């Protein structure tokens, strides 16, 4: 059985004070009784604050990005070792905002994924097509290219620490969630691709997340799809209440 996972990606939002307040409110109001993984990706500057205020809870931490080198003369970058040191167990890699605004190629993302594996970080590896790709009937081809590039050279052990997050670019921050059937089609395509490329065991164990305008209204029908194992939530994770509403409606027993 694949263990469900919900990830809150705060992006470039939240100061240290608001991060602490978020955790405080969240702990106060949430029951968190189900068996699922709960991961928050605060900005780097809030990582240690969240680590401290979430101590003893089931909240795990993720970095939102990571350098493609381990150390040295890389002004402004944060390495895999530093993320581990700050208490992260996960890192988000290949997010479309990194691909689009910071020109991250499949090769760079692949390098980062390999480094994250070597440093015992679990990876939330994002892929997604544009609306133009979809309208041209090219969505699966684009996704396959991103999977091939990003996961190149990974061996079985390393693949076990990778979750794949399908995030159609046209659904991110737009309020237009992909419909559950569309999402299931793509997730099943991804799982079949994994089966073809890495074998049945890996394919069946791989967690595939959906992201893009997830909220508490649409999350139950997304999570009820057989190949949807989790959610990557941006905007709706910024308020502890709306994030908990998603958890309550889709993850708790
Ligand atoms: P959104 O962002 O939920 O605000 O659409 C999702 C993401 O970019 O991970």
């Amino acid at each position: 059985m694949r263990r469900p996972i919900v990830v809150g990606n705060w992006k470039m939002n939240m100061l240290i004070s608001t991060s602490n307040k978020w955790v405080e409110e969240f702990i106060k109001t949430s029951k968190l009784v189900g068996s699922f993984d709960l991961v928050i990706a605060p900005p780097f500057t809030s990582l240690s604050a969240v680590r401290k205020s979430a101590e003893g809870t089931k909240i795990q931490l993720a970095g939102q990005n990571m350098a493609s080198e381990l150390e040295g003369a890389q002004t402004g970058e944060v390495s895999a070792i530093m993320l581990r040191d700050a208490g992260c167990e996960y890192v988000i890699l290949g997010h479309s905002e990194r691909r689009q605004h910071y020109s991250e190629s499949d090769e760079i993302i692949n390098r980062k994924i390999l480094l994250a594996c070597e440093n015992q970080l679990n990876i939330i590896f994002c892929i997604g097509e544009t609306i133009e790709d979809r309208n041209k009937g090219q969505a699966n081809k684009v996704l396959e290219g991103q999977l091939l590039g990003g996961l190149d050279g990974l061996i079985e052990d390393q693949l076990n620490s990778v979750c794949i997050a399908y995030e159609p670019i046209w659904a991110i921050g737009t309020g237009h969630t992909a419909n559950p059937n569309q999402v299931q089609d793509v997730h099943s395509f991804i799982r079949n691709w994994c089966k073809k490329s890495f074998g049945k065991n890996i394919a069946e164990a791989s967690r595939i997340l959906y992201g893009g305008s997830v909220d508490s209204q649409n999350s139950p029908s997304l999570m009820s799809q057989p190949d949807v194992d989790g959610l990557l939530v941006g905007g709706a994770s910024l308020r502890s209440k709306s994030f908990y509403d998603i958890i309550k409606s889709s993850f708790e027993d």
Side-chain angles (χ1 to χ4, degrees):
M1 265 317 273
R2 298 183 292 271
R3 184 174 162 91
I5 173 169
V6 57
V7 184
N9 175 11
W10 290 355
K11 307 192 181 183
M12 199 171 69
N13 297 291
M14 311 284 258
L15 302 178
I16 292 173
S17 56
T18 38
S19 305
N20 280 330
K21 194 153 171 265
W22 188 103
V23 177
E24 212 177 282
E25 280 173 11
F26 186 76
I27 295 171
K28 228 189 290 169
T29 51
S30 317
K31 291 204 202 72
L32 305 180
V33 287
S35 32
F36 59 92
D37 290 332
L38 169 58
V39 182
I40 302 292
F44 294 136
T45 45
S46 285
L47 277 173
S48 38
V50 174
R51 177 192 205 175
K52 208 159 158 224
S53 46
E55 211 176 340
T57 72
K58 71 186 278 171
I59 296 176
Q60 294 178 288
L61 287 177
Q64 295 179 14
N65 181 35
M66 195 193 87
S68 58
E69 303 293 332
L70 265 195
E71 60 183 353
Q74 303 284 332
T75 303
E77 291 290 306
V78 171
S79 74
I81 301 172
M82 291 168 180
L83 287 183
R84 292 279 311 167
D85 190 41
C88 291
E89 285 169 71
Y90 287 82
V91 60
I92 298 174
L93 294 174
H95 194 283
S96 65
E97 288 153 16
R98 301 291 320 167
R99 293 178 189 263
Q100 282 187 315
H101 308 316
Y102 298 91
S103 310
E104 287 198 13
S105 62
D106 290 327
E107 291 71 29
I108 294 268
I109 294 162
N110 177 242
R111 187 168 163 67
K112 292 184 178 190
I113 290 178
L114 287 164
L115 272 181
C117 289
E118 279 168 29
N119 289 279
Q120 291 77 48
L121 282 164
N122 297 297
I123 296 127
I124 297 151
F125 168 44
C126 304
I127 57 173
E129 82 283 4
T130 63
I131 193 66
E132 291 77 24
D133 298 330
R134 176 155 285 268
N135 290 342
K136 280 191 278 180
Q138 302 279 302
N140 288 355
K141 192 164 161 245
V142 168
L143 296 170
E144 182 166 16
Q146 293 172 348
L147 287 165
L148 267 170
L151 300 180
D152 187 31
L154 266 77
I155 56 168
E156 182 165 342
D157 243 19
Q158 297 170 317
L159 289 160
N160 287 331
S161 56
V162 178
C163 303
I164 298 169
Y166 169 54
E167 295 209 299
I169 296 172
W170 46 272
I172 296 180
T174 59
H176 302 302
T177 326
N179 80 52
N181 296 334
Q182 238 172 2
V183 172
Q184 170 55 27
D185 282 352
V186 174
H187 282 219
S188 129
F189 168 79
I190 294 171
R191 201 172 305 284
N192 280 328
W193 182 86
C194 289
K195 191 169 167 189
K196 249 186 357 207
S197 314
F198 310 120
K200 189 161 169 271
N201 292 350
I202 295 277
E204 279 175 5
S206 294
R207 294 191 288 184
I208 308 177
L209 286 64
Y210 168 79
S213 297
V214 172
D215 60 27
S216 59
Q217 300 298 306
N218 56 38
S219 59
S221 53
L222 289 161
M223 278 307 293
S224 68
Q225 301 303 312
D227 285 300
V228 177
D229 306 308
L231 301 171
L232 177 49
V233 186
S237 71
L238 291 178
R239 297 204 9 252
S240 65
K241 167 142 181 23
S242 50
F243 190 56
Y244 182 56
D245 285 344
I246 293 173
I247 293 174
K248 205 164 48 173
S249 58
S250 317
F251 290 84
E252 294 202 325
D253 300 329

